[in-house]
Amino acid sequence: MTVIKREDLVQSVADALQYISYYHPLDFIQAVHRAYEAEESPAARDAMAQILINSRMCAMGHRPICQDTGIVTVFLKIGMNVRFDFSCSIDEVINEGVRRAYLFPDNVLRASILMDPAGARKNTRDNTPAVIHHQLVPGDQLDVTVAAKGGGSENKSKMVMLNPSDSIVDWVLKTVPTMGAGWCPPGMLGIGIGGTAEKAMLLAKESLMDPVDIDELRQRGPSNRIEELRLELHEKVNALGIGAQGLGGLTTVVDVKILDYPTHAASLPVAMIPNCAATRHVHFHLDGTGVAELPVPRLEDWPEVSWQTDRARRINLDTITAEEVRTLKSGETLLLSGTLLTGRDAAHKRMIDLLSRGEPLPVDLHGKFIYYVGPVDPVRDEVVGPAGPTTATRMDKFTETILAQTGLLGMIGKSERGPVAIEAIRRHQAVYLMAVGGAAYLVSKAIRKARVLAFEDLGMEAIYEFVVEDMPVTVAVDSSGESVHLTAPKIWQAKIGKIPLQSS
């Protein structure tokens, strides 16, 4: 009988979470590289270049691929001949591994988990607890799959109870465009079909743990209906023209994974969960002989990609005027230098509350840009840890008030803005700039100074002052209200020409 020691499981989970924080699965990064080489959209190609460069930098520097180091999900397959040498629950042991990983001083990972989610929403400070799934199986080993899922992509999860006669393909093609770019494509779609509502969601999440193999499937041909469905959806989703970061292009997904399960005759549950450009998961097993050994990738396995900045326009944030803001055009590439402020959900809520009471803000936003970011804590000689953008649409409801009452000139985040925010930007002649989600370490290298200015108790959601040099961004919504996330996918969908344009 195999005996699993507590310390072996704790350290294996901790090692796995550190490992996936800075090592992309190689099959995924190679798929993104193939998409990069084939891409014809300059904006999408530029975004993928940043993702690939960031991935290589993280592998070299052992720092997080994305500042959102995720909610931890663990799948356990427990052999029925396995015995554990501890009396506490296996969940407690897994969570000790999570705690150890996220507090590891050489590579601090961002704690994003909040207790009392419908109330105080207080950070647990160590990213526990994990979401843990258990399965008893024959055998004498413990098989463990560890994943870390960012909130931006998890928030775009969808679930529907279709009629048995409904088309799964039609639902997916109708639903993917509604997800926007907040899930940071290019990535993968995990789809679960059948069972019950909760089983379909679990199947979708499990499917994302499988390797990228759509090219091999295409070459050998499908052998069943699920494989036919994967190929059809891969082709048709990419034909939507959404592209990397929603900027329009040939590749939105590098693979579509599907798992199914028998279901009730009256039902057709379908769940869809996207994995972002910061796809992170690893599998290992324990057989009682010690801590799991994870394969160390070779640096030469990462593609060497150069990122061209010669067509970018340089902007000085310390001298920019409202008149200059109005010259920025949707789709234009910029390099930002100077001082900007940060703030995301919690900080915006506090500022709105202060403004509603007629009280002064702790920072002056007039003539400034605000960056929607919750950075990782710095280590060693860093001024700040990985600091990629968070999903901007969550700030849409605050945008009109902030622009109207503070004199803010611009915002920086990831993904699209909704109609309410776009109208506010147009009305106040402001601008929204997009940084690449999934390039957090690369972005952090443009930050020369960082200090907390306000709301320090919010941790990573505090308001910081960053001094940046050549921070890469794209004009996503210009002062006239033109959004690249609305125009570019339509242009590329028409170019690809495999799915008729949807009426707006």
Side-chain angles (χ1 to χ4, degrees):
M1 177 177 287
T2 298
V3 177
I4 305 296
K5 296 179 181 178
R6 180 184 185 278
E7 178 59 21
D8 289 346
L9 180 52
V10 169
Q11 192 59 49
S12 295
V13 170
D15 289 349
L17 287 166
Q18 280 286 313
Y19 181 95
I20 64 176
S21 77
Y22 45 74
Y23 287 144
H24 263 118
L26 282 176
D27 58 302
F28 178 78
I29 209 65
Q30 289 162 358
V32 174
H33 186 231
R34 289 193 294 271
Y36 164 79
E37 291 186 315
E39 186 57 68
E40 297 176 13
S41 162
R45 186 176 170 85
D46 180 80
M48 284 191 280
Q50 291 188 50
I51 290 166
L52 291 166
I53 292 167
N54 181 74
S55 181
R56 184 180 175 88
M57 289 173 61
C58 293
M60 293 172 63
H62 285 196
R63 291 295 273 144
I65 295 164
C66 180
Q67 80 289 339
D68 184 349
T69 49
I71 185 169
V72 176
T73 302
V74 179
F75 295 93
L76 300 173
K77 292 185 178 179
I78 305 168
M80 289 187 287
N81 292 328
V82 168
R83 185 170 68 83
F84 298 98
D85 78 340
F86 46 86
S87 57
C88 61
S89 73
I90 196 169
D91 287 18
E92 290 179 76
V93 177
I94 295 292
N95 282 320
E96 180 56 33
V98 175
R99 186 173 296 111
R100 185 176 296 182
Y102 278 74
L103 300 179
F104 182 57
D106 289 348
N107 181 40
V108 180
L109 305 181
R110 197 184 81 182
S112 302
I113 303 308
L114 310 180
M115 65 176 72
D116 191 14
R121 294 181 66 83
K122 184 178 179 181
N123 199 301
T124 64
R125 299 294 183 182
D126 58 12
N127 224 58
T128 64
V131 177
I132 306 169
H133 304 283
H134 317 79
Q135 185 178 357
L136 280 173
V137 298
D140 56 4
Q141 292 189 353
L142 175 65
D143 284 290
V144 185
T145 300
V146 175
K149 189 72 157 49
S153 61
E154 188 70 5
N155 287 349
K156 301 301 182 178
S157 303
K158 305 293 180 182
M159 196 274 158
V160 66
M161 300 298 289
L162 294 177
N163 291 319
S165 60
D166 290 342
S167 166
I168 294 171
V169 172
D170 287 350
W171 177 76
V172 170
L173 296 181
K174 177 182 71 174
T175 303
V176 168
T178 71
M179 290 158 50
W183 61 281
C184 288
M188 298 163 61
L189 290 181
I191 296 175
I193 303 171
T196 51
E198 83 282 4
K199 181 64 174 179
M201 291 299 292
L202 184 57
L203 290 169
K205 182 62 69 66
E206 283 185 288
S207 75
L208 291 169
M209 305 300 111
D210 290 340
V212 176
D213 64 352
I214 198 74
D215 287 347
E216 292 90 332
L217 175 57
R218 186 182 296 105
Q219 289 170 11
R220 69 171 169 81
S223 58
N224 54 52
R225 174 55 186 150
I226 291 300
E227 291 184 345
E228 291 174 357
L229 197 55
R230 284 181 60 199
L231 289 171
E232 182 179 4
L233 286 172
H234 180 260
E235 178 182 15
K236 290 183 175 179
V237 169
N238 282 329
L240 292 170
I242 295 167
Q245 303 293 299
L247 295 171
L250 301 179
T251 299
T252 303
V253 291
V254 298
D255 204 344
V256 176
K257 317 301 291 189
I258 302 176
L259 291 177
D260 67 349
Y261 195 84
T263 193
H264 192 282
S267 303
L268 182 55
V270 182
M272 179 166 59
I273 303 178
N275 242 8
C276 63
T279 289
R280 294 165 294 204
H281 58 82
V282 70
H283 171 262
F284 63 85
H285 71 271
L286 297 177
D287 58 8
T289 60
V291 176
E293 293 186 13
L294 302 173
V296 178
R298 302 172 304 163
L299 191 58
E300 53 265 35
D301 291 333
W302 267 263
E304 290 198 45
V305 173
S306 61
W307 179 55
Q308 303 299 322
T309 61
D310 53 336
R311 64 186 181 91
R313 176 176 172 185
R314 283 182 157 79
I315 298 294
N316 186 335
L317 295 170
D318 296 327
T319 61
I320 191 170
T321 63
E323 290 73 25
E324 189 176 1
V325 164
R326 289 193 287 271
T327 70
L328 304 177
K329 297 303 178 186
S330 176
E332 189 176 3
T333 302
L334 309 178
L335 292 174
L336 306 180
S337 295
T339 305
L340 58 82
L341 303 177
T342 78
R344 38 181 282 162
D345 311 63
H348 274 76
K349 177 63 167 61
R350 285 196 182 178
M351 289 192 291
I352 292 295
D353 289 345
L354 288 170
L355 291 170
S356 68
R357 297 195 297 266
E359 298 176 21
L361 298 183
V363 294
D364 182 8
L365 299 182
H366 184 78
K368 298 290 196 304
F369 278 63
I370 195 165
Y371 182 27
Y372 303 148
V373 62
V376 176
D377 290 341
V379 299
R380 298 181 289 276
D381 60 348
E382 295 176 344
V383 298
V384 71
T390 197
T391 306
T393 47
R394 298 202 312 274
M395 267 52 73
D396 281 6
K397 63 183 178 181
F398 306 121
T399 301
E400 168 61 32
T401 300
I402 292 292
L403 291 178
Q405 297 192 37
T406 70
L408 186 75
L409 285 180
M411 300 145 283
I412 307 165
K414 76 170 184 183
S415 77
E416 73 286 348
R417 303 307 296 264
V420 170
I422 290 174
E423 175 55 26
I425 291 166
R426 186 200 63 77
R427 181 182 301 115
H428 297 286
Q429 300 283 280
V431 69
Y432 167 61
L433 312 176
M434 189 211 78
V436 172
Y441 195 40
L442 175 64
V443 170
S444 73
K445 294 305 179 184
I447 302 169
R448 304 307 185 197
K449 296 180 183 179
R451 64 185 179 117
V452 175
L453 292 186
F455 308 148
E456 187 171 4
D457 61 297
L458 295 178
M460 61 93 174
E461 293 211 59
I463 294 179
Y464 287 76
E465 179 187 79
F466 285 171
V467 177
V468 301
E469 183 179 342
D470 287 346
M471 177 180 171
V473 295
T474 299
V475 180
V477 181
D478 63 24
S479 60
S480 70
E482 182 173 326
S483 168
V484 71
H485 289 104
L486 295 177
T487 58
K490 291 181 179 178
I491 291 168
W492 281 93
Q493 188 182 76
K495 286 184 178 182
I496 296 167
K498 294 181 179 177
I499 297 179
L501 277 170
Q502 304 294 318
S503 58
S504 56

